Amino acid sequence: MPPRKTKNGNGQSELPGMPTMDNLKDILWKSADKLRGSMDAAQYKDFVLGLVFLKYVSDSYTERRNAIRQELIADEIPETRHADFLDDPDEYTREGIFWVPEGARWDDLAEGAKAGSVGELIDDAMDAIMKSNPALTGVLPKIFNRDNVDQRRLRELVDLINDARFTGHNGKTARDVLGEVYEYFLEKFARAEGKRGGEFYTPASVVKVLVEILEPYKGRVYDPCCGSGGMFVQAEKFVLSHRGRRDDIAVYGQEANERTWRLAKMNTAIHGISADLSTRWADTFYEDKHPDLKADYVLANPPFNMSDWYRRTDDPRWRFGTPPAGNANFAWIQHIISKLGVRGTAGVVLANGSMSSKQSGEGEIRTALIDADLVACMVALPPQLFRTTQIPACLWFFAKDKTSKGGHTDRQGQVLFIDGRALGTMVDRTERVLTDDDIARIANTYHAWRGTKSAREAGLTYDDERGFCYSASREELKQHDEILTPGRYVGAAEIDNEDDEPVTEKIKRLTGELYSCFEESTRLENLVRKQMERLDV
């Protein structure tokens, strides 16, 4: 009789005695955290995520090997010929599975760990897997046999991962579970690293807003500063949740940081995404790795107010004006627009200053973008979504075609403004997240305004909502000097006589908003001082 299944707190089926999915991730994280020792945070991240990836490729290989064996039995292939298929790398790679040579498989490592040479074994396994899979060349970390790695604790972690039950979680395969573990670890590392974590991680709820608005059902998806690949993972989840297939989208990306590029390569691989992230890392402004790409969708979270960037004044991407040397916001915008196909759309996370700045020609560039009718929607985000920075952020959405093609509502000459500053829920003292209802409210508002297929099927219609959304004409934008801050257009929400927000939460929210203003004020003050220093007085 099969073991009786129970339900965890999320309603997921689990086997008796098995930790829930959340508990499994928490156990693995706490155990991995013991290995921190004398490593710096960045190396520690490579260390743990590399080990999880190694487990993933080995489990994927084992699952495929077992499937091949069952196929051979079903086809009545003589057992004497099984090895010809089981040991043929093509039988794995054509299914998107990495070939793992003998000696590099997880069972070999788990057995070898008992002998005490685990660090050397893992480094050798990483090397063997990279040599057997050109797509992983230079990607996997070989840092496990160094003096600063506690080999005893490394053996404990290998034993723990070896003993953990990665199957039986609501019918998910071991590969799917390990993919969730990898995402969970990325988020935990981003929090642990603070400001530096923002270099490789965008909060999941923000990514979901981008994806739910763009709806990348099929086509080419691009991210010019892809971090650890979170945009791609969420785009893939969107496709699969709408009964699509992984190969419905083709993924392209670029990343300037070597370590982050490695994370992205592993993250996309662990989710089964065939991504073209080039053969190595590179600065998008200095060396565009996808010069001829025309994308259907662009999702990006560039570094906020990037002041140290490669700038050529004669760059053909600057169709709407040359961006200032001290801030790359409008350089990112123009690069992204240069990548859009005929009906391409884009969603970009930027600092709030991009909506209103008029210094160093930024106002003229913004006006040119509006005149070209490329700006479709602006979303003001609530504070404290980004643990890594207090700079307030917004979302820009661009569309190359705002006509009625495809049954859409003709929105030429109009821009939708959504003020989401009051949305979100505090998950702890310092961090806010957008709930599924918040995300749906923003996305549904956009789709109702644009008249997309999903809105028509759901029967959604658009109306301006005071304090939340407003569709502005080109003339109205001109009256506001082409400043694109949603609060200027949506107006103030009607005051409810009953304020049911707890005082402690209101103080936390207002304090966070005040700190955000302080930080932006300091940034602007420093900028003004630099400009004053240039004056010959």
Side-chain angles (χ1 to χ4, degrees), residues 129-154:
I129 291 171
M130 286 191 286
K131 287 178 179 178
S132 300
N133 300 276
L136 294 177
T137 300
V139 172
L140 305 185
K142 295 171 57 180
I143 55 177
F144 296 86
N145 199 36
R146 296 181 178 176
D147 292 340
N148 65 334
V149 176
D150 187 326
Q151 296 295 311
R152 177 182 61 82
R153 287 182 172 172
L154 177 56

Side-chain angles (χ1 to χ4, degrees), residues 155-377:
R155 283 195 298 274
E156 290 176 359
L157 181 57
V158 170
D159 287 342
L160 178 70
I161 294 176
N162 189 56
D163 293 339
R165 297 281 292 276
F166 290 102
T167 56
H169 294 274
N170 200 27
K172 295 177 181 177
T173 66
R175 294 172 59 192
D176 290 336
V177 173
L178 280 165
E180 288 192 30
V181 168
Y182 194 91
E183 287 183 67
Y184 175 78
F185 276 19
L186 279 174
E187 181 180 4
K188 295 288 282 187
F189 279 121
R191 290 180 175 181
E193 292 189 30
K195 187 173 182 179
R196 283 206 59 219
E199 296 176 3
F200 64 86
Y201 185 81
T202 303
S205 64
V206 176
V207 180
K208 287 179 182 177
V209 174
L210 295 175
V211 171
E212 290 296 327
I213 285 184
L214 294 184
E215 294 188 319
Y217 291 107
K218 184 176 291 188
R220 295 175 295 276
V221 178
Y222 173 63
D223 185 345
C225 43
C226 66
S228 57
M231 301 286 188
F232 304 139
V233 172
Q234 196 60 48
E236 177 225 28
K237 288 182 178 180
F238 176 87
V239 171
L240 295 179
S241 70
H242 289 81
R243 300 183 181 179
R245 301 181 306 175
R246 281 189 174 91
D247 57 4
D248 284 344
I249 58 173
V251 170
Y252 301 85
Q254 184 162 342
E255 173 55 44
N257 182 281
E258 175 187 354
R259 277 178 161 161
T260 306
W261 174 81
R262 294 175 191 271
L263 291 180
K265 293 279 281 187
M266 288 191 286
N267 196 18
T268 51
I270 212 168
H271 285 89
I273 301 172
S274 180
D276 181 355
L277 307 184
S278 185
T279 55
R280 63 183 289 114
W281 55 97
D283 181 339
T284 302
F285 294 126
Y286 178 74
E287 184 183 4
D288 181 2
K289 289 292 187 178
H290 304 285
D292 302 318
L293 175 67
K294 290 299 178 183
D296 299 291
Y297 310 97
V298 180
L299 303 100
N301 176 21
F304 289 0
N305 303 320
M306 186 177 175
S307 59
D308 183 15
W309 62 285
Y310 179 80
R311 176 177 177 267
R312 274 179 39 219
T313 56
D314 61 345
D315 195 309
R317 288 174 285 191
W318 313 151
R319 288 178 49 210
F320 304 96
T322 304
N327 194 316
N329 287 343
F330 283 91
W332 285 114
I333 286 177
Q334 293 190 79
H335 170 78
I336 287 166
I337 289 173
S338 75
K339 291 298 182 184
L340 290 179
V342 177
R343 300 196 64 196
T345 55
V348 189
V349 187
L350 286 173
N352 273 3
S354 62
M355 298 189 290
S356 58
S357 171
K358 288 182 172 292
Q359 61 198 14
S360 305
E362 289 182 333
E364 286 82 354
I365 298 174
R366 189 169 52 251
T367 297
L369 293 170
I370 295 169
D371 287 339
D373 207 14
L374 289 165
V375 183
C377 177

